[in-house]
Amino acid sequence: MFDKILIANRGEIACRVIKTARKMGIKTVAIYSDADRNALHVKMADEAIHIGPPPANQSYIVIDKVMEAIRKTGAQAVHPGYGFLSENSKFAEALEAEGVAFIGPPVGAIEAMGDKITSKKIAQEADVSTVPGYMGLIEDADDAVKISNEVGYPVMIKASAGGGGKGMRIAWNDEEAREGFQSSKNEAANSFGDDRIFIEKFVTQPRHIEIQVLCDSHGNGIYLGERECSIQRRNQKVVEEAPSPFLDEATRKAMGDQSVALAQAVGYTSAGTVEFIVDGEKNFYFLEMNTRLQVEHPVTELITGVDLVEQMIRVAAGEKLTIGQDDVQLNGWAIENRLYAEDPYRNFLPSIGRLSRYRPPSEVSAGPMVVAGTWQGDALVGETAVRNDTGVYEGGEISMYYDPMIAKLCTWGPDRASAIEAMRVALDSFEVEGIGHNLPFVAAVMDHPIFIAGEMTTAFIAEEYPEGFEGVTLPDDALRRIAASSAAMHRVAEIRRTRVSGRMDNHERKVGTEWAVCLQGQRFDLTIDADQDGSTVTFSDGTQHRVSSDWTPGDQLAVLDVDGGPLILKVGKISGGFRIRNRGADLKVHVRTPRQTELAELMPEKLPPDTSKLLLCPMPGLIVGVNVEVGDEVQEGQALCTVEAMKMENILRAEKKAVVTKINAVAGDSLSVDEVIMEFE
């Protein structure tokens, strides 16, 4: 077994590998750029080596710099994580030449299956059903348009060396094919150093289901069930679960057997993932194989008890798998939500800055257990687990240079319903402040009827949120629980204020029992009868709620008991009440006396400034190009400029017909959020 391994990555996956290495008694080496000098993975590793400036193409994906770090530290093996150099055959070759083990598949398998074009040809030769498309190299945008017409719109334009949603575009017409080709090519070059592009038919209403395989160098191969990854935004997975609520055992076995056979056909070793598109009749089509550890691997670990990172390290060290296919049991259900530094209220555009508050829910262990690769028992039925894989900490910064992932929050339960409920509670308990993030959105997904029914497809977000995410409208029963809780908390705060020392004589402040709570456009008149154990809140229609909690003013998380059931609220102070966040809703809750409420209703509403004649930069980023000039008449939907942030190119388009009167930015400018790019009349 290795004594020391280097992790050629950053962020949460580097931290994840360090945890398993530490458990195995293996020392770890981290690498870091200038932007990651104070990163969590640097603090966790036994050693850390600086490798260059913030841009990945000057640090994390420069093979020579990583090799130099290996030589300096004497690392015997390298775990590449995902992204960066994880599927780079030249990196694997450099390690082999240096006599350093690559904790991943052999070079031949990376070249055969890591390249999407080659892997599809191999799959076709092996009689694996594949999606129709053009597997040859595409020369330019005109060629892309021609091929797209031959395949038939809609088409998927994809980077051959891509992954993680980078270098991928859906085109529905010639104009989108032309634009998508260039953007995909640019993103692929910047993210992977390989700008080759291919085009395939975009299958509408598909499910994205993948199989986890694990193979050793002694001819043994197994699959560890499937992961449902259909909820995606911009071709990047957001919510994953294992197993899939759609598959039956026969389909699972067919997909698993085919995946293992495909892996062994190319001499694959280590952990890998075979991805499929599955239609409504459970017909499945090979999509691609990822020759690395997947982002969503924790849900497989939670239902099988197999530590995939440990198995990868053991396979790389030449050990045989100690788990056979018959030993693989799928126990319970696991769900993963990816927490991204993306603002859902700004169409999920990247958000950067300092994490002024970062308090994930407490991690709780449960579920099946595997120790040293040997099955140890069944699931702890009736319990739930919470796991949070992260690479950040409170006070740290989210950089513009890398993927915007903050954490991967996972829950496990003995069945799907309990895993979902555990996730709802965990999301309500997760405190993140200082940046925009998608926590409200994934919380909304957990309550969406289509997700609860398990009937989602890859079109889920586009179909259910066609105008973007604008928050959640809570049902009346939820509003009443929050109103009662807010009134009880307000009473506690008022009582504290009456006890302020140094008050004037004969000016005793009394706390009343009658209140009006206004939230989400509704007003609830109520009275509070409090005792030592809590408060009984009675609404004007006679309904009652019993509220108890140990919340004190200033606490930003309130854990309450309402009618014997839990209610977790994120609480912020505003004038006359609270900012309350729960289940994806962001509410201004005003708690006032009836007279104060009557007066407040007479106050005019402050309107936001008119920005209809301005193009504002939606996130901090770099202007890649400006497509128009002063005096141009632009049409609705016309591309105005391109902004790059977190390795993604974002095309900003005209919302309506207008004339450009002023342009304030040029290519190469770095802009902050809401900075004016151009003006119209």
Side-chain angles (χ1 to χ4, degrees):
M1 183 50 65
F2 310 117
D3 297 319
K4 182 189 292 188
I5 65 174
L6 180 142
I7 298 129
N9 217 296
R10 63 173 303 280
E12 67 85 14
I13 189 57
C15 297
R16 162 71 187 92
V17 175
I18 290 170
K19 288 179 181 179
T20 287
R22 184 181 294 163
K23 180 183 71 174
M24 298 175 69
I26 301 172
K27 293 183 178 180
T28 55
V29 179
I31 57 175
Y32 65 93
S33 70
D34 292 338
D36 281 338
R37 190 174 298 275
N38 298 313
L40 185 60
H41 75 282
V42 175
K43 299 176 184 292
M44 289 179 63
D46 297 295
E47 299 176 62
I49 301 295
H50 175 253
I51 57 167
N57 59 10
Q58 298 177 42
S59 53
Y60 289 107
I61 63 173
V62 180
I63 294 174
D64 289 343
K65 291 186 176 182
V66 179
M67 296 305 299
E68 183 59 30
I70 294 168
R71 297 184 191 105
K72 283 182 180 179
T73 58
Q76 301 159 312
V78 172
H79 197 298
Y82 52 75
F84 291 150
L85 296 172
S86 62
E87 295 177 285
N88 189 308
S89 60
K90 292 181 180 178
F91 180 53
E93 287 175 348
L95 292 174
E96 187 176 343
E98 196 79 16
V100 176
F102 180 62
I103 303 175
V107 173
I110 295 174
E111 292 177 340
M113 303 308 291
D115 184 289
K116 294 179 175 60
I117 294 175
T118 304
S119 66
K120 284 184 176 294
K121 290 179 178 178
I122 292 174
Q124 289 172 343
E125 292 169 0
D127 294 327
V128 177
S129 177
T130 58
V131 179
Y134 181 78
M135 296 298 105
L137 295 180
I138 301 166
E139 296 298 328
D140 52 31
D142 289 336
D143 197 22
V145 170
K146 178 183 176 183
I147 293 168
S148 297
N149 278 281
E150 292 173 352
V151 173
Y153 290 111
V155 299
M156 177 75 81
I157 301 170
K158 303 177 72 172
S160 181
K166 303 295 187 298
M168 299 174 66
R169 293 289 191 279
I170 298 173
W172 296 80
N173 53 50
D174 290 356
E175 183 180 355
E176 291 182 0
R178 192 178 302 279
E179 289 179 355
F181 173 79
Q182 195 57 54
S183 289
S184 294
K185 196 175 185 69
N186 292 344
E187 284 180 10
N190 291 334
S191 297
F192 312 109
D194 183 344
D195 66 355
R196 291 176 300 155
I197 299 296
F198 71 99
I199 293 175
E200 66 184 11
K201 179 73 173 178
F202 177 65
V203 180
T204 56
Q205 298 296 308
R207 296 180 81 114
H208 185 134
I209 300 176
E210 60 191 29
I211 301 290
Q212 177 70 60
V213 297
L214 184 61
C215 303
D216 63 22
S217 57
H218 303 276
N220 302 304
I222 60 173
Y223 64 93
L224 292 94
E226 81 282 358
R227 295 184 288 258
E228 173 79 57
C229 307
S230 295
I231 297 183
Q232 304 177 6
R233 187 191 55 73
R234 295 176 184 162
N235 306 309
Q236 191 172 58
K237 301 162 189 171
V238 178
V239 179
E240 301 100 348
E241 61 182 301
S244 167
F246 184 62
L247 293 192
D248 53 43
E249 185 55 42
T251 307
R252 176 180 296 116
K253 185 177 187 306
M255 294 174 69
D257 288 344
Q258 181 171 301
S259 298
V260 172
L262 186 62
Q264 291 185 326
V266 293
Y268 196 90
T269 63
S270 192
T273 297
V274 182
E275 301 191 347
F276 294 92
I277 287 179
V278 184
D279 67 20
E281 301 300 319
K282 295 187 175 67
N283 298 307
F284 54 89
Y285 304 94
F286 172 74
L287 187 60
E288 63 186 15
M289 182 173 188
N290 288 310
T291 59
R292 53 170 169 82
L293 189 67
Q294 289 283 88
V295 176
E296 57 273 16
H297 75 274
V299 292
T300 295
E301 294 182 329
L302 284 169
I303 66 166
T304 63
V306 176
D307 184 329
L308 288 169
V309 173
E310 178 181 348
Q311 294 302 312
M312 292 178 76
I313 294 172
R314 293 188 179 281
V315 168
E319 295 185 13
K320 290 183 178 181
L321 292 180
T322 57
I323 308 168
Q325 192 63 59
D326 292 340
D327 298 316
V328 177
Q329 302 176 40
L330 306 185
N331 289 271
W333 217 281
I335 296 173
E336 173 180 291
N337 278 313
R338 300 190 190 186
L339 181 58
Y340 284 116
E342 297 176 335
D343 191 340
Y345 303 107
R346 288 176 175 267
N347 197 28
F348 298 93
L349 291 171
S351 175
I352 64 174
R354 186 174 299 277
L355 285 164
S356 58
R357 190 173 183 86
Y358 179 74
R359 309 282 175 88
S362 299
E363 294 189 82
V364 181
S365 297
M369 292 295 294
V370 166
V371 179
T374 304
W375 184 259
Q376 296 294 309
D378 292 334
L380 301 177
V381 177
E383 297 184 22
T384 58
V386 178
R387 168 175 168 176
N388 188 55
D389 285 17
T390 188
V392 302
Y393 57 90
E394 188 167 294
E397 293 209 17
I398 302 298
S399 169
M400 67 178 288
Y401 295 101
Y402 311 115
D403 187 274
M405 185 184 292
I406 300 171
K408 301 183 309 195
L409 181 64
C410 306
T411 56
W412 175 92
D415 52 43
R416 189 170 186 263
S418 61
I420 293 174
E421 183 57 30
M423 179 60 75
R424 291 171 179 147
V425 173
L427 289 169
D428 283 343
S429 306
F430 207 135
E431 300 178 75
V432 182
E433 304 291 349
I435 60 166
H437 54 79
N438 70 330
L439 202 156
F441 174 71
V442 292
V445 171
M446 293 300 101
D447 280 330
H448 198 288
I450 290 177
F451 173 75
I452 294 171
E455 297 174 352
M456 56 281 182
T457 72
T458 56
F460 171 81
I461 292 178
E463 291 177 350
E464 299 304 313
Y465 302 94
E467 303 301 322
F469 180 73
E470 298 178 353
V472 171
T473 300
L474 293 176
D476 189 68
D477 60 336
L479 288 181
R480 284 173 170 267
R481 282 162 54 87
I482 292 174
S485 300
S486 298
M489 290 189 295
H490 182 75
R491 178 184 174 278
V492 170
E494 285 289 284
I495 290 174
R496 169 178 279 195
R497 284 188 276 272
T498 67
R499 296 173 179 169
V500 174
S501 61
R503 65 179 180 267
M504 297 174 64
D505 293 339
N506 302 318
H507 285 79
E508 184 175 355
R509 183 176 180 179
K510 294 185 179 180
V511 178
T513 60
E514 295 186 0
W515 301 95
V517 181
C518 299
L519 71 167
Q520 199 175 282
Q522 294 194 48
R523 171 177 170 173
F524 296 100
D525 292 297
L526 49 83
T527 59
I528 300 178
D529 181 17
D531 53 53
Q532 288 185 333
D533 298 323
S535 299
T536 299
V537 180
T538 305
F539 288 78
S540 57
D541 62 2
T543 58
Q544 291 186 334
H545 289 294
R546 180 67 179 174
V547 181
S548 60
S549 172
D550 59 359
W551 179 85
T552 58
D555 290 349
Q556 295 186 42
L557 192 70
V559 181
L560 306 106
D561 183 290
V562 182
D563 302 328
L567 178 64
I568 301 174
L569 305 175
K570 298 186 186 73
V571 182
K573 189 71 182 77
I574 62 173
S575 178
F578 306 100
R579 178 191 180 193
I580 298 290
R581 284 169 288 176
N582 172 261
R583 296 292 169 92
D586 194 335
L587 306 169
K588 287 184 178 180
V589 183
H590 292 103
V591 185
R592 304 183 177 104
T593 66
R595 178 55 178 162
Q596 288 172 335
T597 302
E598 290 174 6
L599 295 174
E601 289 172 348
L602 299 176
M603 295 292 290
E605 182 181 355
K606 183 178 179 180
L607 299 176
D610 181 13
T611 60
S612 61
K613 295 183 179 181
L614 304 175
L615 176 66
L616 304 179
C617 190
M619 71 287 195
L622 178 74
I623 299 293
V624 176
V626 177
N627 303 82
V628 296
E629 297 179 354
V630 173
D632 286 357
E633 182 179 88
V634 298
Q635 305 298 320
E636 180 180 354
Q638 182 176 338
L640 301 175
C641 69
T642 303
V643 180
E644 180 185 322
M646 292 182 173
K647 301 190 293 183
M648 296 289 284
E649 288 193 355
N650 302 275
I651 299 175
L652 306 185
R653 301 179 184 277
E655 294 183 353
K656 59 185 178 181
K657 182 178 179 180
V659 176
V660 180
T661 59
K662 188 177 181 181
I663 297 177
N664 301 320
V666 297
D669 286 354
S670 292
L671 302 184
S672 58
V673 64
D674 285 341
E675 196 164 344
V676 179
I677 299 174
M678 61 183 71
E679 302 175 21
F680 310 94
E681 67 175 14

